[in-house]
Amino acid sequence: MSEIGLKIRVLGDPVLRGKAKKVKEILESHRSLLSKMARIMYDSEGIGLAAPQVGVEECLIVIDAGNGLYKLINPRIVSCEGTQSFEEGCLSVPGVTVKVKRSKRILVEALDENGKPLKLEVQNLLACVFQHEIDHLEGKLIVDYIPFFKKILLKKKITPSSRKTRMENPKE
Ligand code: ZN
């Protein structure tokens, strides 16, 4: 991994919270970055990775949810329909999964690594991964979807085991 020189940033790193910049001119460095991101994604057994996750504030994402690799520049969602929820994880939020409600089918416009405009209609899991990665470009993370009351529980550090103990010893 050291020859790649990029590492996955985790929750708390401000680069994950910024808004990524659109790529105005696609350079060789962008193509090279997309290849490195794909390699990091595969090495980490992820199904998607956005540039801010490796510390680069530009609109680049890679996705492979089992149907081939997408390397996309300036992706944006132009229409969506339906809803679905998946239990999502994130390489930048290790050890946490969050059930996130998203659109079931989306139409995405993007550029490929050579600047060719693409229109992609995706659905189900793949649509979920696209929305997750495009969220990263807006500085949004899965923890932002945790309901407010659960966040309070997390803050008070009430662990499931301590709650269980209390429930097993109810007051008469
Ligand atoms: Zn993520």
Side-chain angles (χ1 to χ4, degrees):
M1 194 82 97
S2 61
E3 87 259 28
I4 290 174
L6 296 167
K7 67 178 176 76
I8 293 180
R9 307 302 179 91
V10 295
L11 188 63
D13 190 319
V15 76
L16 292 171
R17 291 309 200 170
K19 196 166 153 50
K21 289 184 218 61
K22 281 203 167 182
V23 175
K24 292 206 176 100
E25 187 191 353
I26 301 169
L27 306 171
E28 196 48 45
S29 59
H30 293 114
R31 284 186 277 272
S32 157
L33 179 62
L34 285 164
S35 297
K36 288 174 185 171
M37 284 167 58
R39 192 152 144 214
I40 292 171
M41 174 182 73
Y42 289 129
D43 284 349
S44 314
E45 295 179 357
I47 54 177
L49 192 69
Q53 292 182 274
V54 292
V56 178
E57 294 173 288
E58 289 191 277
C59 291
L60 304 170
I61 60 172
V62 294
I63 289 173
D64 187 344
N67 302 310
L69 176 62
Y70 293 91
K71 292 175 178 174
L72 301 177
I73 297 167
N74 300 343
R76 67 186 191 99
I77 296 166
V78 291
S79 70
C80 52
E81 61 175 57
T83 57
Q84 62 178 348
S85 300
F86 281 101
E87 197 73 37
E88 296 183 21
C90 179
L91 294 172
S92 295
V93 191
V96 173
T97 61
V98 180
K99 196 166 188 181
V100 182
K101 193 170 164 189
R102 299 194 188 273
S103 300
K104 191 165 172 62
R105 279 176 296 279
I106 56 170
L107 180 64
V108 175
E109 286 183 354
L111 300 174
D112 76 4
E113 61 182 334
N114 298 309
K116 186 181 152 211
L118 301 173
K119 274 192 181 174
L120 304 163
E121 221 182 305
V122 292
Q123 57 182 345
N124 303 328
L125 175 66
L126 191 55
C128 165
V129 183
F130 269 82
Q131 289 167 87
H132 178 120
E133 300 313 327
I134 291 170
D135 268 0
H136 275 299
L137 303 178
E138 298 288 327
K140 195 165 185 187
L141 299 170
I142 53 171
V143 291
D144 302 334
Y145 292 92
I146 299 174
F148 181 67
F149 71 92
K150 279 196 186 163
K151 263 188 203 163
I152 294 191
L153 290 180
L154 284 174
K155 276 199 182 128
K156 286 183 178 169
K157 292 195 169 49
I158 298 174
T159 61
S161 61
S162 69
R163 267 151 60 200
K164 197 174 162 204
T165 307
R166 271 185 295 162
M167 283 171 68
E168 280 168 358
N169 301 293
K171 282 183 195 157
E172 296 277 333

